[in-house]
Every structure is written in structure tokens, then in C-alpha cells.
Amino acid sequence: MSSLKNATVVVVHGAWADGSSWEPVIRRLQNQGFSVAAAPIPLTSLSDDAAALKRTIARTEGPVIVAGHAYAGGVIGTANDERVKALVYIAALAPDEGETVAQVFYRDDPHPNAPQLAPDADGFIWMTDSGFDHAFAQNATAEQIALCKAVQRPISVKSIQEPAPAPAWKTTPVWYLLAEDDRMINPQTQRFMAERMQATIRSYAVDHTPLLTAPDKVVDIILEAAQATLS
């Protein structure tokens, strides 16, 4: 386990969130002895977000495991860095080269409880209160959902419409936590992407944001990726 303790886990938040969405996972990883860094991505375009992730990785030393939630799957797919030993997708989108996040997001039919979202006058998409309640994290506590609403950050349409570069998952080992009760990203879509990446898949009856509602399962898959690639 000692070699694992020299690693850094870089976590990347998705749309309508910030680094605090990873808080239960961060605490558990720190208790295991890992260094953890939450990459603060601006959600202004895929390339802006990729650059922010690159800056965060550059601040670390030694081997890195990169984990991304939801939209951040598109971002962690840009982590073409020799120090990145594994990618961990948590109910995350994984566009291939030339695809957009929107193309994979809308691949299958939406859940009946999925929110109807549209950009504002500035080209940013905000999550509705009912979307947080019934789709973003329907299994979260009232306290957790209230915090999500308070800290939400909108995502630019540019972020989901910019074609992805050649993805790191073609050359880096990948793990995928498939959220069977996800109301934001169709679980069928998740399975398609995970199988296309040839990921190690762990499927659970969890909602779209297991970072909050099932953090132990998220930690387990990150640890599995670390043990397989760093030991």
C-alpha cells in the first residue's frame, strides 16, 4: 500500500457543481492517506476546462489517478499525461474524438424525471430546483440538496458543443461506476460508453451523484484503480 500513498487523486466536478460535491469522497480518500486535489474547472468550454485540469495535475507530484463526475468525463478524457495512471468515470460522459458531450448525453431517451434545461441569455445552462430534487441527486439528504442548490455553477453551451480531442482513455486504464438509477444520464448510455472504452465496470443501484449519496462505492472504485495501476 505504501506506493499508493505517494499518489495523488485528482477529482473533477461536473456541471451545476463545484469541488464541494466531492467532499465525502475527499475526506475518505484523505483518511486512507492519499493526497487529493479538486480541479476547479470554469465550465466555460471543454478546452478551458481541460486547461484547468492540466494546471491542477501540474501542481501534483508522482503518479496520479484522475476521477471525473458526469460532464467531467469529457474533461478527464483530455488528461494525456504520462503521470496519469488511471481514469475513473463516475456516471460520466465519455465522448470519442470529434464527438461532443451533448452528442453522447442525448444518445438515449431521457428519464421522465429529467429536467428540461435551456441556456440563459448569456449561453449558460442552470439546473432547476426541481432538477436537483428529482434527478441530480434524488437520494441525497435535504441538507445536501440545499447545499447543491446554493453552490451550483452553470455550464456554458460551448462546453457541451465543442468536439473532444483524441481521448486519453484509448491509452490509459479506465474504471467506470455505472449509476443504474441515474435520471440525468441514461444508464444505457453509460454502459455504451463504458464498454466502448473497455473500462472495468462496477454497476450499482445509485443515483446520478453517488459522490454524495454513495461515497463508499466511489472510494472503492478509485482504490481499485489505484491498486491495479500503482501497486
Side-chain angles (χ1 to χ4, degrees):
M1 192 74 180
S2 59
S3 63
L4 303 188
K5 299 298 171 69
N6 299 325
T8 300
V9 179
V10 172
V11 298
V12 191
H13 62 83
W16 313 298
D18 63 9
S20 66
S21 61
W22 282 91
E23 187 266 342
V25 173
I26 290 170
R27 273 191 296 107
R28 285 165 171 79
L29 289 171
Q30 288 172 334
N31 290 341
Q32 296 266 1
F34 283 94
S35 294
V36 186
I41 60 171
L43 300 172
T44 46
S45 72
L46 184 61
S47 41
D48 288 349
D49 298 335
L53 173 58
K54 189 174 183 177
R55 288 193 294 272
T56 301
I57 293 172
R59 293 179 54 241
T60 67
E61 293 179 1
V64 177
I65 306 293
V66 181
H69 173 236
Y71 161 73
V75 181
I76 71 171
T78 69
N80 286 296
D81 186 305
E82 60 182 15
R83 290 195 295 116
V84 174
K85 303 304 180 186
L87 300 172
V88 183
Y89 287 72
I90 308 298
L93 295 158
D96 200 347
E97 184 172 8
E99 282 182 337
T100 66
V101 167
Q103 281 174 318
V104 283
F105 180 75
Y106 291 112
R107 185 177 187 274
D108 293 293
D109 292 337
H111 189 277
N113 292 104
Q116 298 290 311
L117 302 174
D120 65 14
D122 297 313
F124 284 91
I125 304 165
W126 295 83
M127 176 60 66
T128 61
D129 281 358
S130 65
F132 278 116
D133 294 333
H134 303 298
F136 184 81
Q138 71 267 19
N139 299 333
T141 65
E143 212 173 48
Q144 287 175 319
I145 288 175
L147 182 62
C148 288
K149 291 174 182 177
V151 304
Q152 85 149 302
R153 294 173 58 225
I155 184 167
S156 168
V157 172
K158 289 180 192 170
S159 292
I160 63 170
Q161 291 183 345
E162 182 181 337
W169 50 257
K170 292 194 172 173
T171 53
T172 308
V174 179
W175 276 257
Y176 197 105
L177 191 155
L178 195 158
E180 296 163 11
D181 297 336
D182 197 320
R183 298 177 180 178
M184 291 295 301
I185 301 172
N186 191 317
Q188 243 178 275
T189 305
Q190 293 182 42
R191 185 164 292 281
F192 162 77
M193 293 182 293
E195 289 177 350
R196 181 170 69 173
M197 290 190 289
Q198 300 183 322
T200 299
I201 301 170
R202 299 289 174 252
S203 184
Y204 299 110
V206 297
D207 66 16
H208 177 66
T209 311
L211 321 176
L212 296 175
T213 60
D216 289 331
K217 288 182 167 53
V218 177
V219 170
D220 285 348
I221 196 169
I222 292 172
L223 288 176
E224 183 181 339
Q227 286 160 352
T229 57
L230 303 175
S231 299

